[in-house]
Amino acid sequence: MNQVFRTPIEYLRGVGVTRADVLKKELGIATFEDLLRHFPYKHIDRTRFYKVREIQPDLPYVQVLARVTHMEIVGQKNVRRLVAQAKDETGVIELVWFQGIRWIEKYLSVGKVYILFGKPGEFNGKPQMAHPEMELYSPAALKQKGNMTLQPAYSSTEKLKPFSLDSKGIQKLTATLLDQYASEIKENIPLYILHQFKLMSRADAYRNMHFPEDAVKLNEAQHRLKFEELFFIQLKLLKNKLLRIEKFKGQVFESVGHYFNTFYNEKLPFDLTGAQKRVLKEIRQDTQRGVQMNRLLQGDVGSGKTVVALMSMLIAIDNGFQTCIMAPTEILANQHYQTIKNLVGDDFIDVALLTGSTPKKNRKVLHEQLESGQLKILVGTHALIEDAVQFQNLGFVVIDEQHRFGVEQRSKLWRKNTIPPHVLVMTATPIPRTLAMTLYGDLDTSVIDELPVGRKPIQTLHFYENQRLRMFGSMKEEIAKGRQIYVVYPLIQESEKLDLKNLEDGIEVMRREFPLPDYQISIVHGKMPAKDKDFEMQRFVKHETQIMVATTVIEVGVNIPNASVMIIENAERFGLSQLHQLRGRVGRGAEQSFCILMSSHKLSYDGKIRLDTMVKTNNGFEISEIDLQLRGPGNIEGTQQSGVLDLKVADLVTDQQLLMQARKCVEDIFAKDPQLALPEHQVLHFAFMKNAGLSWDKIS
Ligand code: ADP
Ligand code: MG
């Protein structure tokens, strides 16, 4: 943005100190730019009347002239709604109200013609309008509503109203700003790209975002600014990636040797899946190029990421390097440690575990072995990144469950060698492609999209409360076969007391249904001291207990192959990705596994979709796409801390295609001109410096 847009808002004609103050406090508008980017949340189209047939969900607020032909109240008590039908000579539109039903019912008369005004939507493929404004038709009313333009409506607050800063007031200020300074809005995207993607100029886009000439122009303006937003995110991500390649050399793993080969030929107890082989090949290629690898490995729980990580580590070790694997919790670190020990066997390679509870004197030995280079594989928690932990020659780092670690922690690991180690980030929470592209756009990605052969897909059932006896029956059958069972309860902070009560009641019922001494139950919940938790967990691991009743603490990573049934109580209260993670705790052995989702009959619309999705598919990527659609990108696990998702105009759910275009466009630019040295790319340098306060040659 041009310098002039940094001007404090008080200097805009018609603002002054007092109004500037409230604008800042109430809406965060401190500068000209802030006002320019305080976009209307809707536009009101009173330029004309639309015919029902013309109604499309992407139109702004429109008005329709139609006769109400039918009206009824549907649904039960707390999800009641009033549904009406209105028609003109071209078709029928449905009108719906969720609130104020009583009042609307009185006001609306079947048979009369109304001027309806609202945001068009769609329901079951038919046009719909929720909560339209209505006015009884009369020639006078019609005249008054005609001949106006598309009007912006701005969000405002009660506190702003005494200062004449309601929607109308803000509209006036914006008009002043645009009148005076629109010509100062400089283009920041190369012209050839504007042509290529048929994008509106930047100045026109801002003007039309506020005061569109018509609905088409409004759409074009939104399109342009969305593209711009996504384009610059990708530019920054890919620039970082390029710079890293340029600045940081990578360790070169010349050859595959003794450790890898021995493991592959003599120790690996199964054939790798095609996907595992493909990923190994990708990693192998990365580590030969002399460029530091930063790779994200996505794969559903149980898809065999750990083996791939281990085999990559063996290649590093074959080339004289040390390796480490960092997990987010002690339980997981322990598990990785055990898994790796089991896979490599004794006397093959030195493996050690380092966590917060490693005693001091063990640590000392460990530190020495690391510094001498004797220790080849270190497994641990955050404890790994402490400064005291020094490697002789760290070459390969695996980070499990990425979203629990920040970028800062990642980079701490890099600094443990003069040439940074290669980094493999593993996540068992698949994220939709567009999100991955935005959140991890600076990493390369690999996907394991195939489960090991012979794995039986988990069968998922949805039971209502009145099927509880059937559930107990199934549990007993499975226990009789020697299987173990998880029963998980939600424990959510906001309703903690109630949840704990539920948990206690649940345990009570379980104890009655599964009495001692035939049955043993482990109980683990988040409120217990860590060592009690661990004790109970171990009893279950050792198969001293058959049932583990838990709150969500077992959510991530734990591997108990003999546990083949997962029962989730109040399943409707869990998010999709959480349900999927929980289900991933079973299905690890050779037996048929089950997941039973218990819910009450009262299900919200979203809740029903979540449970149906779980019953329908085991595919984490498919689930993550639906989750994204249901919740929006800001709520997907692991995205909250990330500023990348602070999108102002674009939407990662609805603008996926545009994101792909922007990404491809940026890739093409860098392929042609990695330094952005060509004259037509100068504008991008400028944008980098001004726009986000970024400088070209620093990783940001
Ligand atoms: P993830 O880390 O992706 O959840 P793991 O690496 O822990 O998965 O693997 C889950 C289980 O599957 C482990 O017991 C592992 O030994 C086994 N496994 C991994 N790859 C294969 C394969 N190709 N064939 C058979 N079993 C496999
Ligand atoms: Mg794992």
Side-chain angles (χ1 to χ4, degrees), residues 562-578:
N562 192 51
S564 62
V565 181
M566 168 63 66
I567 291 166
I568 305 176
E569 295 281 355
N570 298 116
E572 72 274 21
R573 292 189 37 209
F574 289 92
L576 248 184
S577 75
Q578 232 180 346

Side-chain angles (χ1 to χ4, degrees), residues 294-563:
N294 270 284
R295 189 167 276 282
L296 174 71
L297 175 56
Q298 292 197 68
D300 247 322
V301 271
S303 60
K305 296 181 293 293
T306 314
V307 183
V308 169
L310 173 65
M311 292 178 75
S312 312
M313 289 156 85
L314 293 176
I315 298 176
I317 296 165
D318 274 335
N319 288 277
F321 292 98
Q322 292 165 294
T323 65
C324 69
I325 176 163
M326 181 161 82
T329 64
E330 214 154 293
I331 293 178
L332 274 173
N334 250 302
Q335 194 131 51
H336 278 311
Y337 176 68
Q338 289 306 336
T339 307
I340 290 175
K341 290 269 311 176
N342 290 342
L343 280 165
V344 297
D346 292 333
D347 304 325
F348 181 58
I349 215 161
D350 282 319
V351 186
L353 178 69
L354 175 65
T355 67
S357 50
T358 307
K360 229 184 175 151
K361 64 174 196 301
N362 296 21
R363 266 177 207 239
K364 199 155 166 282
V365 179
L366 223 145
H367 288 170
E368 282 164 16
Q369 290 179 338
L370 279 176
E371 280 173 56
S372 75
Q374 181 197 336
L375 186 56
K376 299 298 184 195
I377 300 179
L378 179 62
V379 183
T381 53
H382 295 80
L384 292 189
I385 49 183
E386 284 164 16
D387 291 332
V389 181
Q390 294 292 333
F391 294 80
Q392 194 219 20
N393 195 12
L394 180 63
F396 198 93
V397 169
V398 178
I399 303 177
D400 195 11
E401 304 294 349
Q402 156 75 8
H403 61 265
R404 309 255 175 138
F405 295 110
V407 175
E408 180 52 27
Q409 285 165 317
R410 250 203 276 163
S411 66
K412 265 194 173 164
L413 276 168
W414 295 13
R415 286 184 228 121
K416 293 203 179 277
N417 205 342
T418 36
I419 294 181
H422 297 296
V423 178
L424 181 69
V425 173
M426 303 197 294
T427 167
T429 314
I431 43 179
R433 207 167 118 87
T434 51
L435 259 192
M437 213 177 260
T438 311
L439 279 175
Y440 303 110
D442 58 337
L443 307 186
D444 292 308
T445 49
S446 291
V447 174
I448 301 188
D449 48 7
E450 182 185 351
L451 289 180
V453 282
R455 202 65 71 72
K456 294 197 184 74
I458 302 164
Q459 269 186 34
T460 303
L461 305 164
H462 172 200
F463 282 3
Y464 290 104
E465 197 48 49
N466 59 1
Q467 289 162 295
R468 186 166 287 278
L469 284 181
R470 208 175 132 195
M471 179 194 94
F472 287 142
S474 308
M475 285 174 74
K476 283 176 185 158
E477 274 172 35
E478 291 301 305
I479 291 173
K481 288 187 211 154
R483 307 286 134 68
Q484 289 167 281
I485 298 176
Y486 296 106
V487 182
V488 176
Y489 281 84
L491 180 57
I492 293 158
Q493 224 132 45
E494 295 88 70
S495 54
E496 195 177 306
K497 272 209 185 109
L498 196 69
D499 282 348
L500 280 173
K501 174 85 174 53
N502 265 337
L503 176 68
E504 276 163 23
D505 292 351
I507 291 168
E508 217 20 69
V509 175
M510 285 287 166
R511 284 216 168 104
R512 234 178 297 135
E513 199 62 37
F514 297 92
L516 293 164
D518 293 352
Y519 297 100
Q520 300 276 346
I521 304 179
S522 283
I523 295 164
V524 177
H525 62 81
K527 297 270 135 177
M528 283 160 76
K531 78 174 188 332
D532 296 359
K533 245 196 275 191
D534 220 48
F535 177 78
E536 285 292 305
M537 211 61 152
Q538 286 309 323
R539 288 207 317 143
F540 191 64
V541 171
K542 289 186 213 142
H543 203 165
E544 291 168 12
T545 59
Q546 298 97 5
I547 299 173
M548 157 117 92
V549 179
T551 53
T552 40
V553 287
I554 54 161
E555 195 179 321
V556 173
V558 189
N559 192 7
I560 301 170
N562 192 51

